[in-house]
Amino acid sequence: MYRITVKHTIEAAHRLLHPNSPAKCRNIHGHRWVVELTLAGSVLDERGMVVEFGQIKQAWKSWLDSHLDHVLILHEKDPLLKAILSVEPNHRIYYLAGEPTAENLAQLLYNQAQKIIEDMPGVWVEKVQVAETESNIVECLGKAVVAFDYNSLASTEIALASGNFIEQLQSTRA
């Protein structure tokens, strides 16, 4: 088996909504997120590669830069979402169905990586690693199922693949 890893850095802010999150994490704060995508394959193609680095880097970095770089990442039920939009309707906000934790971002990115490699036969996503700091690192190795219920936020599964740009939120909730 062969593994390839590509690394990219994004700048993004977030805040946690859960009342049991540390107080400093409930404030909007930013990170220099380092994201690593590891793909695996058991067979090399005719060029002797699992996948050409340039091909995966272009698709992966393009998605990361257009969706998560220099954005504010919020829970879709965060009251700040509407407040920010009322003052600055074109603010780049990416919202999630669950908390914007490093774990949930890793799951979102794992799901997105799966979509990116759909047309790459014999290649699979082994893991996505998300580092919000040098010492706080999360790895996602597959689909996570989590149940939560707090402050009228209820879900049986974190549907992170449904994260969208705020324009889509405005159009669906207008």
Side-chain angles (χ1 to χ4, degrees):
M1 181 173 70
Y2 301 91
R3 292 183 185 117
I4 67 164
T5 300
V6 292
K7 183 189 281 190
H8 190 54
T9 302
I10 58 172
E11 308 289 339
H14 70 146
R15 84 172 192 139
L16 302 183
L17 188 57
H18 194 286
N20 292 331
S21 295
K24 67 181 183 177
C25 296
R26 291 193 308 263
N27 290 312
I28 294 174
H29 61 285
H31 296 286
R32 178 177 206 155
W33 304 84
V34 179
V35 178
E36 292 186 20
L37 168 61
T38 300
L39 302 177
S42 56
V43 178
L44 300 179
D45 67 13
E46 68 279 357
R47 301 167 297 184
M49 300 177 186
V50 172
V51 64
E52 199 274 316
F53 277 110
Q55 177 187 7
I56 194 65
K57 284 177 10 184
Q58 190 274 334
W60 184 241
K61 290 180 178 187
S62 174
W63 193 90
L64 289 171
D65 288 345
S66 64
H67 291 80
L68 295 177
D69 193 37
H70 287 85
V71 300
L72 173 58
I73 306 167
L74 294 174
H75 189 296
E76 69 181 357
K77 301 209 180 197
D78 191 319
L80 285 181
L81 191 59
K82 287 183 181 177
I84 291 169
L85 289 175
S86 70
V87 176
E88 196 170 333
N90 295 320
H91 195 80
R92 282 180 40 100
I93 298 175
Y94 194 92
Y95 68 91
L96 302 176
E99 288 277 47
T101 61
E103 292 84 351
N104 289 343
L105 285 173
Q107 181 69 64
L108 166 74
L109 296 173
Y110 185 95
N111 294 347
Q112 185 59 38
Q114 294 277 55
K115 293 176 186 175
I116 288 172
I117 66 158
E118 280 177 343
D119 297 329
M120 298 178 186
V123 177
W124 62 90
V125 178
E126 183 168 279
K127 71 177 179 177
V128 170
Q129 179 175 292
V130 175
E132 73 175 17
T133 68
E134 285 184 18
S135 58
N136 297 341
I137 302 168
V138 172
E139 289 184 344
C140 179
L141 306 172
K143 186 173 175 65
V145 177
V146 181
F148 59 89
D149 185 10
Y150 55 89
N151 291 349
S152 76
L153 302 174
S155 178
T156 56
E157 183 176 346
I158 299 174
L160 295 178
S162 68
N164 293 299
F165 278 110
I166 203 61
E167 297 85 33
Q168 292 170 332
L169 175 68
Q170 290 172 313
S171 66
T172 60
R173 295 189 178 176

